């Protein structure tokens, strides 16, 4: 091929590549929301079924058993009989086969109050804006993006509605009989407009750094979320460390590590998340609402949720101790406590006053000391000058000639 033919062939190939990119990426058609939702639900269900046999939320080895209670060093604390799942259901008069689902209206009110307070706090000091900006511009930000600026935050106005709550035992594959834990399933439905918008610039670093900058604006809105929430309590347990298991029986018994009681929650794979993605690419000739960008963002958000809180993955939250403590008590004080509080406040005030006086005295002494140090060079300079007028320079403390 001659130079002209090769040049024309190269230009034609570039035009074909650009045309294919515009046709299939920018103006390409995406599947309908119903088709996409059903495909994702089937994929999640298959993944959950594949992990169900090999995954157990209580799979950690535990050393607490009846033999531990029999060999306890103290007989003062009496251990009650082991409470199995059928015993708990019988004592609470709950029949998993005949009990009607509950509406959870009271729980919806508590959740709504919590979310309303969160929205009020976020609008007061703009803490959420500062936190999101620092997270987006952290160390995990790609090198091909400039600084990311948050342009829009809308926390919504409605609240999630939980309903149709039912409790049933779930077997985790434990070898002990009646060891199934109780699990609550409830339907969650949220119809709102929660929006998060950003803008940044894509940096093109080829063939040399900072070859071009492409402005990009993106806004993602959650329109509706519906699914089934699963909640269960995981009781505390004592676990042996590898060093403890390999220790000799003649050595003194090592203390066991205790896992506190925790709350585990996750969503069933059949959840549905409807998003509205708005995009704007370019500075002069702008491309608006590119379908492929919306599809990429939706896939990334669904993958983020699936990796964290969709079965067989669970979120485990450690619960604090619910034992009543004096430091957690709130409310009016009694007369004795009120008198003690007044005396304690007076004592604290006297100590603060005394500490303040001591600090002021120390500052006064330091100020006098530094003023004396500053005046010494001035007096020494006068002595040098007086001796210079007499016709000679002498070091201070020198012997007379």
């Amino acid at each position: 091929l001659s130079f002209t033919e090769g040049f024309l062939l190269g230009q034609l190939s570039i035009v074909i590549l650009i045309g294919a990119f515009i046709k299939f990426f920018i103006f390409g058609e995406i599947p309908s929301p119903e088709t996409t939702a059903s495909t994702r639900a089937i994929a999640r269900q298959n993944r959950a079924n594949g992990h169900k046999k090999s995954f157990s939320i209580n799979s950690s080895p535990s050393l607490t058993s009846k033999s531990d209670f029999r060999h306890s060093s103290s007989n003062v604390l009496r251990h009650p009989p082991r409470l199995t799942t059928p015993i708990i259901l019988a004592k609470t008069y709950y029949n998993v086969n005949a009990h009607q689902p509950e509406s959870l209206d009271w729980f919806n009110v508590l959740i709504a109050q919590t979310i309303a307070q969160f929205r009020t706090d976020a609008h007061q000091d703009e803490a959420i804006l500062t936190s999101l900006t620092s997270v987006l511009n952290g160390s995990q930000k790609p090198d091909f993006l400039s600084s990311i600026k948050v342009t829009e935050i809308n926390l919504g106005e409605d609240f999630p509605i939980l309903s149709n709550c039912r409790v049933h035992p779930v077997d985790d594959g434990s070898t002990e009989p009646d060891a199934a834990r109780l699990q609550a399933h409830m339907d969650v439905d949220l119809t709102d407009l929660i929006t998060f918008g950003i803008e940044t610039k894509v940096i093109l670093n080829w063939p040399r750094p900072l070859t071009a900058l492409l402005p990009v604006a993106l806004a993602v809105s959650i329109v509706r979320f519906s699914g089934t929430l699963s909640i269960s309590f995981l009781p505390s347990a004592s676990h042996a460390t590898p060093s403890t298991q390999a220790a000799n029986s003649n050595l003194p018994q090592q203390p066991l590590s205790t896992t506190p009681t925790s709350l585990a929650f996750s969503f069933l794979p059949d959840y549905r998340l409807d998003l509205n993605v708005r995009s704007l690419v370019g500075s002069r000739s702008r491309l608006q609402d590119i379908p492929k960008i919306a599809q990429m963002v939706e896939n990334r958000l669904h993958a983020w949720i699936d990796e964290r809180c969709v079965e067989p993955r669970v979120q485990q939250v450690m619960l604090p101790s619910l034992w009543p403590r004096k430091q957690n008590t709130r409310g009016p004080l009694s007369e004795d406590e009120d008198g003690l509080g007044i005396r304690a406040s007076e004592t604290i005030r006297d100590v603060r006053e005394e500490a303040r006086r001591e600090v002021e005295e120390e500052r006064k002494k330091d100020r006098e000391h530094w003023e004396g140090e500053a005046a010494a060079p001035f007096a020494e300079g006068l002595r040098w000058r007086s001796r210079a007028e007499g016709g000679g320079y002498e070091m201070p403390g020198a012997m007379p000639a």
Side-chain angles (χ1 to χ4, degrees):
L1 297 177
S2 62
F3 174 78
T4 304
E5 293 176 350
F7 178 77
L8 294 177
L9 183 61
Q11 296 296 322
L12 180 61
S13 62
I14 293 176
V15 171
I16 293 175
L17 290 177
I18 294 176
F21 175 80
I22 294 175
K23 179 180 179 180
F24 295 102
F25 183 79
I26 297 179
F27 299 105
E29 296 182 358
I30 60 175
S32 62
E34 291 75 11
T35 304
T36 305
S38 60
T39 304
R40 288 171 178 162
I42 294 173
R44 295 192 200 101
Q45 189 64 42
N46 294 334
R47 184 173 62 254
N49 293 335
H51 290 80
K52 187 175 295 183
K53 296 182 179 180
S54 60
F55 177 79
S56 175
I57 199 171
N58 291 324
S59 59
S60 301
S62 175
L63 292 184
T64 50
S65 60
K66 297 180 181 180
S67 59
D68 297 332
F69 298 149
R70 290 196 300 266
H71 294 85
S72 177
S73 59
S74 175
N75 294 325
V76 177
L77 182 61
R78 298 183 179 180
H79 297 281
R82 185 170 179 270
L83 294 178
T84 60
T85 299
I87 295 177
I88 294 176
L89 293 175
K91 288 181 176 293
T92 54
Y93 305 102
Y94 194 97
N95 188 352
V96 295
N97 298 322
H99 200 281
Q100 295 297 324
E102 302 178 11
S103 61
L104 294 178
D105 294 337
W106 63 273
F107 191 65
N108 292 329
V109 175
L110 296 180
I111 294 295
Q113 290 179 345
T114 304
I115 296 177
Q117 185 62 40
F118 169 75
R119 291 171 177 171
T120 303
D121 297 341
H123 284 290
Q124 285 180 355
D125 52 0
E126 296 185 353
I128 186 173
L129 177 61
T130 305
S131 301
L132 289 175
T133 303
S134 60
V135 169
L136 292 176
N137 293 279
S139 59
Q140 298 182 355
K141 181 174 70 68
D143 296 334
F144 59 86
L145 294 180
S146 63
S147 61
I148 301 176
K149 179 182 177 182
V150 180
T151 58
E152 182 182 1
I153 296 179
N154 183 10
L155 299 179
E157 299 178 355
D158 292 330
F159 305 101
I161 302 300
L162 285 77
S163 61
N164 194 23
C165 179
R166 56 273 185 199
V167 178
H168 57 87
V170 177
D171 189 7
D172 281 333
S174 177
T175 56
E176 299 180 5
D178 298 332
R181 57 186 172 89
L182 294 175
Q183 191 176 61
H185 284 178
M186 57 196 74
D187 297 338
V188 182
D189 188 18
L190 173 63
T191 303
D192 203 349
L193 188 62
I194 303 174
T195 306
F196 177 64
I198 60 172
E199 65 178 14
T200 184
K201 294 180 180 179
V202 179
I203 304 175
L204 181 61
N205 295 320
W206 188 86
R208 60 179 184 273
L210 298 177
T211 301
L213 296 176
L214 181 64
V216 176
L218 189 66
V220 181
S221 300
I222 298 178
V223 180
R224 183 181 178 183
F225 176 83
S226 60
T228 303
L229 177 64
S230 173
I231 298 179
S232 61
F233 286 97
L234 304 181
S236 60
S238 298
H239 305 286
T241 58
S243 59
T244 304
Q245 294 177 354
N248 192 355
S249 59
N250 297 328
L251 297 178
Q253 185 178 4
Q254 300 293 331
L256 303 177
S257 59
T258 303
T259 303
T261 304
S262 59
L263 173 68
F265 68 91
S266 63
F267 291 97
L268 297 187
D270 59 350
Y271 79 94
R272 180 170 179 176
L273 178 63
D274 295 337
L275 301 173
N276 181 19
V277 181
R278 294 176 286 117
S279 60
L280 192 63
V281 180
S283 57
R284 295 182 179 179
S285 301
R286 297 188 173 185
L287 297 176
Q288 186 175 0
D289 298 340
I290 301 177
K292 285 297 181 179
I293 293 181
Q295 186 180 11
M296 292 171 57
V297 172
E298 290 183 4
N299 292 336
R300 184 56 185 157
L301 288 177
H302 281 86
W304 187 87
I305 297 175
D306 295 344
E307 293 173 357
R308 285 163 175 80
C309 54
V310 176
E311 288 188 354
R313 305 291 178 87
V314 297
Q315 284 291 315
Q316 191 170 349
V317 181
M318 301 300 174
L319 298 179
S321 176
L322 300 180
W323 188 263
R325 296 182 178 180
K326 185 66 177 178
Q327 60 183 1
N328 298 331
T329 304
R330 301 294 184 271
L333 301 176
S334 60
E335 296 180 358
D336 296 338
E337 293 175 340
D338 196 4
L340 291 175
I342 294 175
R343 287 194 296 270
S345 60
E346 292 177 352
T347 303
I348 294 174
R349 184 169 58 253
D350 295 340
V351 171
R352 289 179 178 175
E353 290 292 335
E354 184 178 356
R356 186 178 58 82
R357 287 194 299 268
E358 291 179 357
V359 171
E360 291 179 354
E361 291 177 359
E362 291 179 359
R363 289 180 178 176
K364 184 177 180 182
K365 292 180 181 180
D366 293 340
R367 186 166 54 252
E368 293 176 353
H369 173 72
W370 287 110
E371 289 178 355
E373 291 288 340
F378 179 73
E380 192 71 21
L382 291 177
R383 185 170 61 178
W384 274 98
R385 186 172 61 182
S386 62
R387 292 183 179 182
E389 292 175 355
Y393 293 93
E394 296 181 0
M395 292 294 293
M399 295 295 293

